[in-house]
Amino acid sequence: MTDKTVLLVEDEIFVAMDIQMTLEDEGWTVAGPFPSTADALSYLDKNIPTCAILDVRLTDGDVFPVADRLRETNVPFVFHSGHADGKALEQVYPESAFCQKPCLPSNLLRQVIQLLDRDEPRKRVAAR
């Protein structure tokens, strides 16, 4: 993968900066961090990232409209939250992953890579 862009939707600035630095150190381009659903949706109006990391509770409400848009465009995403029920999220969004806060940014990166690896065969079949 040459162009690796991760959409980072996180309203806690220090958490966002830690995740962003880890991703950039690993060669990712980070779109964001976006602290609100509105900001993230505005980005998605003109862009399609490789994947996304989503905090659930944001400055303007829950991130679910962003998750729905990502699902519509087949973009894999990881929920990253200290407040949400991971099992419930995975039932509604079975294509997603969940990392409980607090978690190391390297663990989030690992989840992203696993999602992309899991998604790759499906994309190859769809391209035929």
Side-chain angles (χ1 to χ4, degrees):
M1 198 176 350
T2 54
D3 181 31
K4 304 183 299 184
T5 301
V6 61
L7 170 65
L8 178 55
V9 184
E10 172 63 64
D11 64 343
E12 295 178 42
I13 190 64
F14 293 115
V15 172
M17 288 171 43
D18 197 20
I19 295 168
Q20 181 174 3
M21 288 189 311
T22 299
L23 292 167
E24 289 175 346
D25 286 348
E26 293 297 320
W28 288 81
T29 299
V30 176
F34 296 107
S36 69
T37 296
D39 290 341
L41 288 172
S42 180
Y43 169 83
L44 289 172
D45 285 342
K46 298 177 182 150
N47 302 279
I48 299 176
T50 308
C51 60
I53 296 172
L54 310 176
D55 185 9
V56 173
R57 290 188 185 168
L58 301 170
T59 59
D60 61 351
D62 290 335
V63 77
F64 303 124
V66 176
D68 293 340
R69 176 87 61 89
L70 293 168
R71 179 168 49 188
E72 289 167 8
T73 54
N74 295 315
V75 173
F77 54 92
V78 177
F79 288 108
H80 181 231
S81 178
H83 305 287
D85 178 349
K87 295 213 182 293
L89 287 173
E90 288 176 354
Q91 286 179 350
V92 176
Y93 299 96
E95 69 282 358
S96 72
F98 179 79
C99 279
Q100 181 77 35
K101 280 184 182 176
C103 99
L104 295 173
S106 58
N107 289 347
L108 274 173
L109 179 60
R110 196 172 313 115
Q111 284 285 343
V112 165
I113 291 168
Q114 287 176 355
L115 278 177
L116 291 172
D117 287 346
R118 182 177 77 189
D119 200 46
E120 190 60 33
R122 198 170 23 152
K123 286 186 177 178
R124 279 196 299 264
V125 168
R128 291 183 187 166

